[in-house]
Amino acid sequence: MASALPRPDPYADSKGWLKTKWAGFRKSLGKKKTKKAKQASQAPASKGENASAEYKGSYSVQGIAEKDLDTQHEYTPHAYELDTSPISSPSLPNIYADNIVTSSPSHSSLSNSLASSSSTTSEPLSSSSSSAPASSSSSNYIDETSSHPSSRASPTPSYAPRYTSWDEDHSQTPSTPDAHPRRHISRADRNSFQMYNSSASNIVHLNIDTPPLTRSSGSRQSSVADLVEERSWNKEFQDIVELPEGVVKHGKMEQLASEFVETATTYARIIISELGDRKKTLKPDSVLGGIAGGVKYIAKGIIFKFALDSIIHRSSTGAPLWMYGGDQQDDEAAMKAARKELTGLEAHWTTLLPSVHYPLMAIIDYKGFRVLAMCELPIGRDTIVYGSDDGGKTVHADNEDVNTLMKSVGKRLKLVGHLVGLPGTQKKEIYGPGDIEGHIGRDGRVYVVDFGRLMPPEDPHRSTSTRAVYYRHLRPEFIRMHWSESLCSDSFTGWDADPTAREAHISAIIRASDYLHNTVIPKFASELEEGTCIQEWKWQEDVTVTAVHDLLDTISSHRIHEAGINMRHLGSIRKHTTCETTRKILLSICVSRLAKNEVQMLMRDLMRNSETHTSSDTPFLEIVVAYLRCILDTEQENFWGSHLKEKLMARYPSVLSAEELGDCCLRKLVDMRLVIIHFMKITGIKLVKKALRNFLRHPENFLILFTDIKVMQPRVQHMHVVSSSSAMHMFMSAQEIASGADACSVMNRAAIVRLLRVADQKFRRTFDAVPYCPLIAYNWARVYVDRARFASSNEKALQFYQRSFDLFGRSTKNFNTPWTLKAWAAALKDKAKLKRAMGDDEEAARLEVEAAHKLTFPGVPHFLLEWGKDVDFFTKIGDDTASKLCSKHPD
């Protein structure tokens, strides 16, 4: 078909005029703003500003009585907030501070490499992108265990947030809390619904009563209260969870989860971008205490926590002990620990106990920082009934029903129960880590929080740091799918207070770690080399982005995690491979992951620099450009030599052979296309299409420019409920259409096929996140069964049936459920009918017998009435099996 002729633009003449007028308007507007700012700086403070300052002064004490102020720990802003020397934090129980770690390696050589790269290139870069000195000052964190309970439990007076009307300057009546459409929340009510978390240290409230923010040069203004509205995410979430199964439930869940992730991402970007700005939309405030957390914020009903290392103890000489870094601050380890919070939550969730409730949670990575976002819960210090919220001083196991629930969860997760408590205190049996918390919320529901140490630690002797027990854990996939013995979450820590069982717990961890390294990893490496995609990959010049992504998916983090292996063991995987193609791919992934961590480190150092307090993305993009130039520059021998080899061996032991550690140039052992594209994938940085095409054609002669970067997006990791709810919504929508009278029409059949295809894709993403969840595997298998029924050919139908059988098998791997076995048997009967229609009566008979035997598992006989309608049912399963089933159900 001939291409369409270009259409004339009727507004072509007016566009130039509008552009000229808009430029003049902005110029005049800038002059007016400058004049007003000059007048405001010379004028005395207004009454409203003084009132606001006075109110904020009373707000900062968080409702604590004046007579109790000298007994409270004074809040000291984080090192990012103010350039003040830190106040030494009080000593904490040795339950956390029992080990000292080695110092983290210096990165001065990296800064020198970036500086040399910037000086040798044609495009000038800001000096801040090449060298950003790290701040030597540490942070003071309020310790919940050493402060008075009144700092949290004391009542606070009610207050009325001031709402500013859009037309306040037009002499209209300002809106009041009663007249405002938003719900008025008192200060006392707000505090009663704050989530208490022992791994937190500082919390931030949105200062609602701030001077209004100017929206434009006109008279229309809005306050922070207009921009931020409280929302009860948890109430909405729990109400949806309790709805009956159906399209409505999953549709609402998909919408709520997506809105939560979007809101959390938006405010996380604001919080991170304003980290070095003194005039913030959200200001720090010490309401919640804790030990292992970072600075906290609250906005729009969501708690935001920075994943930063914190000082938990000081020696008699004043030397600090950091929670994750030991004698030096290690923010990267704190970021890993924050990710364990989400991993533990999902593992706990997949035990499928309907009586246990969980918060919504997401993790946002942006500009080198990690923020954990979680909805507020109706719990507090007075609602805890399980675990410890004060570092082991008080251990709760107060409610028998909750104790039974947690024991059931522990057994399904293969976690052994053990005694928890400090010496001289009453010890109680806890399943999971000692600092996990079970609450009976003010709404009557059972909530569980603090999952950071849910999974047992890996043998710390395999790490250079003894503090690694707090963030280097075994994968839940390994424990549930590859290991048969129950393990202790508190092994190698002071939380394990049972002297008689402690050595047995440690021995079990050592055996599990040895099995992981000596059996699981070599087996996975062997299976990886047999992959058809890797064997068929050719390092051709003309390669597409899709082909690179397909190759990376064969060694994706999801596949490695599904095998029960942590990504930190990439070096061990490469050690057990011999195929040059596989080794090149693995080394390329290791280099890109190292580049991600070093770029994030440089971004954090830039934010620590008090002279570069800016919310602009430009300085951070310059860091990315400078580092990528180091990677792409063929003359950077020092970077690809000692610097990179040292960093790779420290992060991924055994990744390089003795020959590669010698004079071998690492740049020849990697594929730059894999390095850069994988770097983009794991950082959220995107290149413009034209630059990406040029790079793929000539990766060895490509100079990246600042204009080549399209966007730097936040990288969001959310709960699997987001993708699983969306998948179920698509699946049940297809079932609704299929159950209609005109389901066989061409239009409806095409719609069903499309919905099932989308559900299949979403379930694949969900399964990658939680491959050990039997419910996800079960529902995904049902999707394949329906895809087989609406397949366009018998061959595709047989393929879909086989995939469903594999997933049914995964679902029943740990324990058999009646609904799974019934659905599996029904799918086998459907395939038998198809085989009989195709003329394969022998295979059809075998499938029918297999379907009948699926009902002989314990817990399935109550389905006999439905299956008894089949006249040949008892003949297929045999007389002995039939008599056993009938004896259980004589009716």
Side-chain angles (χ1 to χ4, degrees), residues 72 262 784 805 828:
Q72 304 295 329
E262 182 179 357
Y784 274 122
F805 299 159
L828 286 167

Side-chain angles (χ1 to χ4, degrees), residues 98-154:
D98 54 354
N99 292 319
I100 303 294
V101 299
T102 58
S103 60
S104 58
S106 173
H107 55 273
S108 58
S109 59
L110 173 61
S111 300
N112 296 333
S113 299
L114 294 183
S116 62
S117 175
S118 301
S119 61
T120 56
T121 51
S122 58
E123 185 186 10
L125 293 175
S126 173
S127 59
S128 61
S129 65
S130 58
S131 60
S135 174
S136 60
S137 62
S138 57
S139 309
N140 176 51
Y141 289 84
I142 295 180
D143 171 26
E144 179 65 34
T145 63
S146 60
S147 61
H148 291 279
S150 59
S151 64
R152 170 183 293 282
S154 59

Side-chain angles (χ1 to χ4, degrees), residues 490-534:
D490 287 329
S491 295
F492 293 99
T493 70
W495 285 95
D496 191 0
D498 189 351
T500 59
R502 185 181 299 142
E503 292 300 325
H505 296 162
I506 292 176
S507 299
I509 292 292
I510 294 176
R511 288 195 301 272
S513 301
D514 291 343
Y515 181 78
L516 171 66
H517 286 269
N518 300 331
T519 304
V520 176
I521 291 178
K523 180 181 178 181
F524 176 79
S526 176
E527 294 174 353
L528 192 62
E529 288 189 309
E530 297 175 358
T532 56
C533 183
I534 294 180

Side-chain angles (χ1 to χ4, degrees), residues 33 210 258 262 289 551 635 778:
K33 287 184 176 181
T210 55
S258 300
E262 182 179 357
L551 180 65
E635 298 180 358
Y778 163 71

Side-chain angles (χ1 to χ4, degrees), residues 778 812 816-826 851 854-855 857-858 860:
Y778 163 71
T812 58
N816 296 318
T817 54
W819 57 85
T820 304
L821 295 172
K822 179 187 175 183
W824 194 352
K854 293 298 178 187
L855 301 179
F857 286 94
V860 183

